[in-house]
Short mmCIF file of all heavy atoms in Angstrom, two decimals:
data_model
loop_
_atom_site.label_atom_id
_atom_site.label_comp_id
_atom_site.label_asym_id
_atom_site.label_seq_id
_atom_site.Cartn_x
_atom_site.Cartn_y
_atom_site.Cartn_z
N MET A 1 5.75 -12.54 16.22
CA MET A 1 6.72 -11.45 16.06
C MET A 1 7.35 -11.51 14.68
O MET A 1 7.44 -12.56 14.06
CB MET A 1 7.83 -11.56 17.13
CG MET A 1 7.34 -11.31 18.54
SD MET A 1 8.70 -11.06 19.74
CE MET A 1 9.57 -12.60 19.62
N ASN A 2 7.81 -10.34 14.20
CA ASN A 2 8.54 -10.25 12.93
C ASN A 2 7.74 -10.87 11.78
O ASN A 2 8.26 -11.70 11.03
CB ASN A 2 9.92 -10.90 13.04
CG ASN A 2 10.72 -10.30 14.19
OD1 ASN A 2 10.81 -9.10 14.32
ND2 ASN A 2 11.28 -11.15 15.04
N TRP A 3 6.50 -10.44 11.63
CA TRP A 3 5.64 -10.93 10.59
C TRP A 3 6.06 -10.43 9.22
O TRP A 3 6.31 -9.24 9.06
CB TRP A 3 4.18 -10.56 10.85
CG TRP A 3 3.23 -11.01 9.78
CD1 TRP A 3 2.52 -12.16 9.75
CD2 TRP A 3 2.93 -10.32 8.55
NE1 TRP A 3 1.78 -12.23 8.60
CE2 TRP A 3 2.01 -11.13 7.84
CE3 TRP A 3 3.33 -9.11 7.99
CZ2 TRP A 3 1.50 -10.75 6.61
CZ3 TRP A 3 2.85 -8.74 6.75
CH2 TRP A 3 1.93 -9.56 6.08
N LYS A 4 6.17 -11.31 8.25
CA LYS A 4 6.45 -10.93 6.86
C LYS A 4 5.56 -11.77 5.95
O LYS A 4 5.26 -12.91 6.24
CB LYS A 4 7.92 -11.15 6.49
CG LYS A 4 8.90 -10.25 7.25
CD LYS A 4 10.30 -10.36 6.71
CE LYS A 4 10.44 -9.67 5.37
NZ LYS A 4 11.85 -9.60 4.91
N ALA A 5 5.18 -11.17 4.82
CA ALA A 5 4.36 -11.90 3.85
C ALA A 5 5.22 -12.91 3.09
O ALA A 5 6.42 -12.70 2.86
CB ALA A 5 3.73 -10.92 2.86
N SER A 6 4.58 -14.02 2.70
CA SER A 6 5.26 -15.01 1.88
C SER A 6 5.20 -14.56 0.41
O SER A 6 4.20 -13.98 -0.04
CB SER A 6 4.56 -16.36 2.02
OG SER A 6 4.97 -17.24 1.00
N ASN A 7 6.25 -14.85 -0.31
CA ASN A 7 6.26 -14.54 -1.75
C ASN A 7 5.18 -15.31 -2.50
O ASN A 7 4.79 -14.92 -3.60
CB ASN A 7 7.64 -14.82 -2.35
CG ASN A 7 8.68 -13.84 -1.90
OD1 ASN A 7 8.36 -12.70 -1.58
ND2 ASN A 7 9.94 -14.27 -1.84
N GLY A 8 4.73 -16.40 -1.92
CA GLY A 8 3.71 -17.21 -2.59
C GLY A 8 2.28 -16.73 -2.37
O GLY A 8 1.36 -17.25 -3.00
N TRP A 9 2.10 -15.76 -1.46
CA TRP A 9 0.75 -15.26 -1.20
C TRP A 9 0.31 -14.30 -2.31
O TRP A 9 1.10 -13.50 -2.80
CB TRP A 9 0.70 -14.53 0.12
CG TRP A 9 0.93 -15.40 1.31
CD1 TRP A 9 1.01 -16.75 1.36
CD2 TRP A 9 1.14 -14.93 2.65
NE1 TRP A 9 1.24 -17.19 2.63
CE2 TRP A 9 1.33 -16.09 3.46
CE3 TRP A 9 1.19 -13.71 3.25
CZ2 TRP A 9 1.54 -16.02 4.82
CZ3 TRP A 9 1.41 -13.60 4.63
CH2 TRP A 9 1.58 -14.77 5.40
N GLU A 10 -0.96 -14.38 -2.62
CA GLU A 10 -1.54 -13.46 -3.60
C GLU A 10 -1.99 -12.18 -2.91
O GLU A 10 -2.68 -12.23 -1.89
CB GLU A 10 -2.72 -14.09 -4.31
CG GLU A 10 -3.36 -13.20 -5.36
CD GLU A 10 -4.57 -13.82 -6.03
OE1 GLU A 10 -4.85 -15.02 -5.71
OE2 GLU A 10 -5.21 -13.16 -6.87
N LEU A 11 -1.57 -11.05 -3.42
CA LEU A 11 -1.96 -9.75 -2.86
C LEU A 11 -3.31 -9.38 -3.41
O LEU A 11 -3.52 -9.30 -4.62
CB LEU A 11 -0.93 -8.69 -3.21
CG LEU A 11 -1.19 -7.28 -2.67
CD1 LEU A 11 -1.11 -7.25 -1.15
CD2 LEU A 11 -0.22 -6.28 -3.27
N GLN A 12 -4.27 -9.13 -2.51
CA GLN A 12 -5.62 -8.73 -2.89
C GLN A 12 -5.75 -7.21 -2.89
O GLN A 12 -4.96 -6.50 -2.28
CB GLN A 12 -6.65 -9.34 -1.93
CG GLN A 12 -6.63 -10.84 -1.85
CD GLN A 12 -7.08 -11.50 -3.13
OE1 GLN A 12 -8.08 -11.09 -3.73
NE2 GLN A 12 -6.37 -12.54 -3.56
N HIS A 13 -6.76 -6.71 -3.59
CA HIS A 13 -7.10 -5.28 -3.59
C HIS A 13 -5.95 -4.39 -4.09
O HIS A 13 -5.72 -3.29 -3.60
CB HIS A 13 -7.52 -4.82 -2.19
CG HIS A 13 -8.43 -5.74 -1.46
ND1 HIS A 13 -9.70 -6.04 -1.91
CD2 HIS A 13 -8.24 -6.50 -0.33
CE1 HIS A 13 -10.26 -6.91 -1.08
NE2 HIS A 13 -9.40 -7.20 -0.12
N SER A 14 -5.19 -4.89 -5.05
CA SER A 14 -4.01 -4.15 -5.55
C SER A 14 -4.37 -2.76 -6.04
O SER A 14 -3.64 -1.80 -5.79
CB SER A 14 -3.34 -4.95 -6.68
OG SER A 14 -2.84 -6.16 -6.18
N ASN A 15 -5.49 -2.65 -6.75
CA ASN A 15 -5.87 -1.33 -7.28
C ASN A 15 -6.14 -0.34 -6.15
O ASN A 15 -5.72 0.84 -6.23
CB ASN A 15 -7.11 -1.47 -8.17
CG ASN A 15 -6.81 -2.20 -9.46
OD1 ASN A 15 -5.66 -2.27 -9.90
ND2 ASN A 15 -7.85 -2.79 -10.06
N VAL A 16 -6.83 -0.78 -5.13
CA VAL A 16 -7.10 0.09 -3.98
C VAL A 16 -5.81 0.50 -3.30
O VAL A 16 -5.61 1.67 -2.95
CB VAL A 16 -8.05 -0.61 -2.97
CG1 VAL A 16 -8.19 0.24 -1.70
CG2 VAL A 16 -9.40 -0.87 -3.59
N LEU A 17 -4.89 -0.45 -3.13
CA LEU A 17 -3.63 -0.16 -2.45
C LEU A 17 -2.77 0.80 -3.27
O LEU A 17 -2.09 1.67 -2.71
CB LEU A 17 -2.88 -1.46 -2.16
CG LEU A 17 -3.61 -2.44 -1.22
CD1 LEU A 17 -2.77 -3.67 -0.98
CD2 LEU A 17 -3.98 -1.77 0.10
N GLU A 18 -2.78 0.64 -4.59
CA GLU A 18 -2.03 1.59 -5.44
C GLU A 18 -2.60 3.00 -5.29
O GLU A 18 -1.84 3.97 -5.21
CB GLU A 18 -2.12 1.15 -6.92
CG GLU A 18 -1.35 -0.13 -7.24
CD GLU A 18 0.14 0.10 -7.39
OE1 GLU A 18 0.60 1.24 -7.18
OE2 GLU A 18 0.84 -0.88 -7.69
N GLN A 19 -3.93 3.10 -5.23
CA GLN A 19 -4.55 4.40 -5.05
C GLN A 19 -4.24 4.97 -3.68
O GLN A 19 -3.99 6.17 -3.52
CB GLN A 19 -6.06 4.30 -5.24
CG GLN A 19 -6.50 4.19 -6.69
CD GLN A 19 -6.14 5.45 -7.48
OE1 GLN A 19 -6.41 6.56 -7.04
NE2 GLN A 19 -5.54 5.25 -8.64
N LEU A 20 -4.23 4.10 -2.67
CA LEU A 20 -3.89 4.55 -1.30
C LEU A 20 -2.46 5.06 -1.26
O LEU A 20 -2.18 6.10 -0.63
CB LEU A 20 -4.07 3.39 -0.34
CG LEU A 20 -3.64 3.64 1.13
CD1 LEU A 20 -4.36 4.84 1.72
CD2 LEU A 20 -3.90 2.37 1.96
N MET A 21 -1.57 4.36 -1.93
CA MET A 21 -0.17 4.79 -1.97
C MET A 21 -0.05 6.17 -2.66
O MET A 21 0.66 7.07 -2.17
CB MET A 21 0.68 3.75 -2.71
CG MET A 21 2.16 4.05 -2.75
SD MET A 21 3.07 2.68 -3.53
CE MET A 21 4.75 3.31 -3.42
N TYR A 22 -0.75 6.31 -3.78
CA TYR A 22 -0.69 7.57 -4.52
C TYR A 22 -1.25 8.72 -3.73
O TYR A 22 -0.64 9.79 -3.63
CB TYR A 22 -1.42 7.42 -5.85
CG TYR A 22 -1.60 8.71 -6.59
CD1 TYR A 22 -0.53 9.33 -7.25
CD2 TYR A 22 -2.86 9.34 -6.63
CE1 TYR A 22 -0.70 10.54 -7.92
CE2 TYR A 22 -3.02 10.53 -7.31
CZ TYR A 22 -1.96 11.14 -7.94
OH TYR A 22 -2.12 12.33 -8.60
N GLN A 23 -2.43 8.53 -3.13
CA GLN A 23 -3.09 9.64 -2.43
C GLN A 23 -2.34 10.02 -1.16
O GLN A 23 -2.23 11.19 -0.82
CB GLN A 23 -4.53 9.27 -2.12
CG GLN A 23 -5.43 9.23 -3.34
CD GLN A 23 -6.91 9.24 -2.97
OE1 GLN A 23 -7.30 9.64 -1.89
NE2 GLN A 23 -7.75 8.77 -3.91
N SER A 24 -1.84 9.02 -0.44
CA SER A 24 -1.08 9.35 0.78
C SER A 24 0.21 10.06 0.43
O SER A 24 0.62 11.01 1.12
CB SER A 24 -0.83 8.08 1.60
OG SER A 24 -0.11 7.12 0.85
N HIS A 25 0.87 9.63 -0.65
CA HIS A 25 2.10 10.32 -1.08
C HIS A 25 1.80 11.77 -1.43
O HIS A 25 2.51 12.68 -0.97
CB HIS A 25 2.69 9.63 -2.31
CG HIS A 25 3.76 10.42 -2.99
ND1 HIS A 25 5.03 10.56 -2.48
CD2 HIS A 25 3.72 11.16 -4.15
CE1 HIS A 25 5.74 11.34 -3.27
NE2 HIS A 25 4.96 11.71 -4.30
N ARG A 26 0.75 11.99 -2.18
CA ARG A 26 0.42 13.36 -2.61
C ARG A 26 0.05 14.24 -1.42
O ARG A 26 0.48 15.39 -1.31
CB ARG A 26 -0.75 13.32 -3.59
CG ARG A 26 -1.07 14.68 -4.21
CD ARG A 26 -2.16 14.58 -5.26
NE ARG A 26 -3.42 14.09 -4.67
CZ ARG A 26 -4.54 13.97 -5.36
NH1 ARG A 26 -4.56 14.26 -6.67
NH2 ARG A 26 -5.65 13.54 -4.76
N LEU A 27 -0.76 13.68 -0.47
CA LEU A 27 -1.17 14.46 0.70
C LEU A 27 0.01 14.88 1.55
O LEU A 27 0.17 16.07 1.88
CB LEU A 27 -2.16 13.64 1.54
CG LEU A 27 -2.50 14.23 2.91
CD1 LEU A 27 -3.24 15.55 2.75
CD2 LEU A 27 -3.32 13.25 3.75
N PHE A 28 0.87 13.93 1.90
CA PHE A 28 1.96 14.26 2.82
C PHE A 28 3.07 15.06 2.14
O PHE A 28 3.76 15.84 2.78
CB PHE A 28 2.50 12.98 3.47
CG PHE A 28 1.60 12.44 4.55
CD1 PHE A 28 0.68 11.45 4.27
CD2 PHE A 28 1.65 12.98 5.82
CE1 PHE A 28 -0.19 10.97 5.25
CE2 PHE A 28 0.80 12.49 6.82
CZ PHE A 28 -0.12 11.50 6.54
N GLN A 29 3.21 14.87 0.81
CA GLN A 29 4.17 15.70 0.07
C GLN A 29 3.69 17.16 0.00
O GLN A 29 4.47 18.10 0.23
CB GLN A 29 4.33 15.16 -1.34
CG GLN A 29 5.31 15.94 -2.22
CD GLN A 29 6.76 15.70 -1.86
OE1 GLN A 29 7.23 14.57 -1.91
NE2 GLN A 29 7.48 16.73 -1.47
N THR A 30 2.42 17.33 -0.30
CA THR A 30 1.87 18.68 -0.44
C THR A 30 1.74 19.40 0.89
O THR A 30 2.10 20.58 1.02
CB THR A 30 0.48 18.63 -1.12
OG1 THR A 30 0.60 17.95 -2.37
CG2 THR A 30 -0.10 20.00 -1.33
N LYS A 31 1.22 18.69 1.91
CA LYS A 31 0.91 19.33 3.19
C LYS A 31 2.14 19.53 4.07
O LYS A 31 2.26 20.54 4.78
CB LYS A 31 -0.14 18.50 3.92
CG LYS A 31 -0.71 19.19 5.17
CD LYS A 31 -1.92 18.41 5.70
CE LYS A 31 -2.52 19.11 6.91
NZ LYS A 31 -3.73 18.39 7.41
#
């Protein structure tokens, strides 16, 4: 329960996640 990431963990696939954030923002803002 109450799962949170550790500050010491390395985030993988950052570029993909940035693109996911951008595209989802644009889709839901526009639609």
